[in-house]
Amino acid sequence: MVSDNEKGLVLAVASSVFIGSSFILKKKGLKRAAANGTRAGIGGYTYLLEPLWWVGLVTMTFGEIANFVAYVYAPAVLVTPLGALSIIISAVLAHFLLNEKLKKMGVWGCVCCIVGSVMIVIHAPQEQTPNSVQAIWKLAMQPAFLIYVAASMSIVLALILYCEPLCGQTNVLVYIGICSLMGSLTVMSIKAVGIAVKLTLEGINQVWYPETWFFVMVAAICVVTQMIYLNKDWYGQDTESIASEICGFITVLTGTVILHATREEEQASLRTMRWQESGKSFNEEHLLSLYRPTEYQESKTPLC
């Protein structure tokens, strides 16, 4: 029988294929639109009249639907990192369709994505699904999460209102920062909506809870915001640059996880060694008491 994690894995990989392909289609559409009007990077919306851009959007929609369903079956720690596979798909397609040569550094970045994805798939935990949207709402109302949301939105507003007009056209990190921070909130809200849908299909109706519709609204706002600024980010960036930047973040994250896991193994080994040494000392003391009982008792007798 196929487990929920395996279903989520298949859907996440399929999502990456669709989304990775949509990157190429939308970029070609953006280039065509820029040749006929104001490009998206400086506030133009002529790409909305480009059919190829809409084909890419539809392809991305299928990918996002698959990604949404994947969150229903598998934990976010499994589904989210597998989105990096879409970078590999887009890099390979760009090599053949956009004549953007994939250099050695780009290949190395793709390898890092694959290695990290395999590690995550192997060690992905089984998820405990909340029994209602209200339970998810209680988790979302925890002070630590509220502080994270407030900090993220503050940074996003600062990037949109101050950094984008000042250096948005020259520093790609502005758009990456906006999309990444909004993406983290997208993942959380989509996960909540996915659980609500799953519970409803199982007979536990979640439609009438206002928390369900709040999560739907948050997901919609986050997705629309990402779409707007992702279009501005794509133009003028070749796929190799985008892949290298994102793979860099993934490599750093993978290294942090490996270091943390290694630290835990070292601590476990140290505890085992201490336990073995304490057991050895006890055995030695016991043997001394057996073979030299008189001397041992004299050495253990305290002086008055």
Side-chain angles (χ1 to χ4, degrees):
M1 185 176 179
V2 180
S3 66
D4 285 347
N5 270 14
E6 291 174 344
K7 293 178 182 177
L9 172 63
V10 172
L11 288 168
V13 173
S15 170
S16 295
V17 173
F18 281 112
I19 294 175
S21 302
S22 72
F23 288 163
I24 306 303
L25 295 173
K26 294 184 74 175
K27 183 172 181 180
K28 289 180 71 71
L30 288 171
K31 285 188 172 181
R32 288 184 181 179
N36 299 323
T38 305
R39 61 189 181 92
I42 57 176
Y45 292 94
T46 55
Y47 62 88
L48 296 176
L49 303 177
E50 178 56 48
L52 190 59
W53 185 87
W54 285 103
V55 172
L57 181 63
V58 171
T59 305
M60 176 171 282
T61 302
F62 282 114
E64 294 296 346
I65 292 173
N67 194 49
F68 172 81
V69 179
Y71 279 111
V72 175
Y73 290 103
V77 70
L78 170 62
V79 178
T80 304
L82 287 177
L85 295 178
S86 63
I87 304 300
I88 300 175
I89 301 297
S90 61
V92 173
L93 291 178
H95 180 79
F96 294 101
L97 300 179
L98 298 178
N99 295 322
E100 296 178 358
K101 302 302 179 183
L102 191 61
K103 298 180 181 178
K104 292 182 179 180
M105 185 59 67
V107 174
W108 175 244
C110 292
V111 171
C112 290
C113 286
I114 294 174
V115 172
S117 299
V118 171
M119 291 175 61
I120 291 168
V121 169
I122 293 175
H123 299 286
Q126 290 291 336
E127 187 177 41
Q128 296 180 352
T129 304
N131 55 8
S132 69
V133 174
Q134 291 179 322
I136 304 174
W137 180 261
K138 290 181 180 179
L139 295 174
M141 290 296 104
Q142 292 183 353
F145 181 73
L146 293 176
I147 292 173
Y148 172 78
V149 173
S152 299
M153 293 306 301
S154 299
I155 296 173
V156 167
L157 290 175
L159 291 173
I160 293 175
L161 299 176
Y162 177 75
C163 296
E164 186 201 0
L166 188 64
C167 57
Q169 299 300 312
T170 58
N171 193 339
V172 70
L173 291 178
V174 174
Y175 295 135
I176 290 179
I178 295 172
C179 294
S180 298
L181 291 172
M182 295 301 292
S184 66
L185 301 179
T186 303
V187 169
M188 298 170 189
S189 56
I190 288 294
K191 181 66 176 177
V193 175
I195 291 175
V197 172
K198 183 179 180 181
L199 292 173
T200 301
L201 294 177
E202 291 175 352
I204 307 174
N205 195 345
Q206 305 293 307
V207 175
W208 304 113
Y209 291 112
E211 292 87 351
T212 300
W213 295 105
F214 177 81
F215 286 126
V216 170
M217 180 183 67
V218 171
I221 293 173
C222 291
V223 168
V224 171
T225 304
Q226 284 180 273
M227 290 297 299
I228 293 173
Y229 288 98
L230 199 57
N231 284 325
K232 295 183 178 182
D233 183 32
W234 282 339
Y235 188 84
Q237 293 286 316
D238 57 28
T239 307
E240 181 183 348
S241 298
I242 298 174
S244 300
E245 291 162 0
I246 298 179
C247 288
F249 289 112
I250 295 172
T251 304
V252 172
L253 178 60
T254 303
T256 304
V257 172
I258 294 173
L259 288 173
H260 180 70
T262 305
R263 179 61 178 170
E264 289 181 346
E265 292 177 359
E266 290 177 353
Q267 292 176 350
S269 300
L270 183 60
R271 287 193 295 268
T272 303
M273 290 176 62
R274 288 176 177 173
W275 180 82
Q276 292 175 346
E277 289 176 357
S278 63
K280 182 178 179 182
S281 300
F282 175 79
N283 292 332
E284 289 176 350
E285 188 175 356
H286 181 64
L287 289 173
L288 286 172
S289 66
L290 290 176
Y291 288 98
R292 293 188 295 177
T294 304
E295 297 177 3
Y296 179 78
Q297 291 297 330
E298 290 177 354
S299 64
K300 298 293 285 186
T301 303
L303 295 176
C304 297

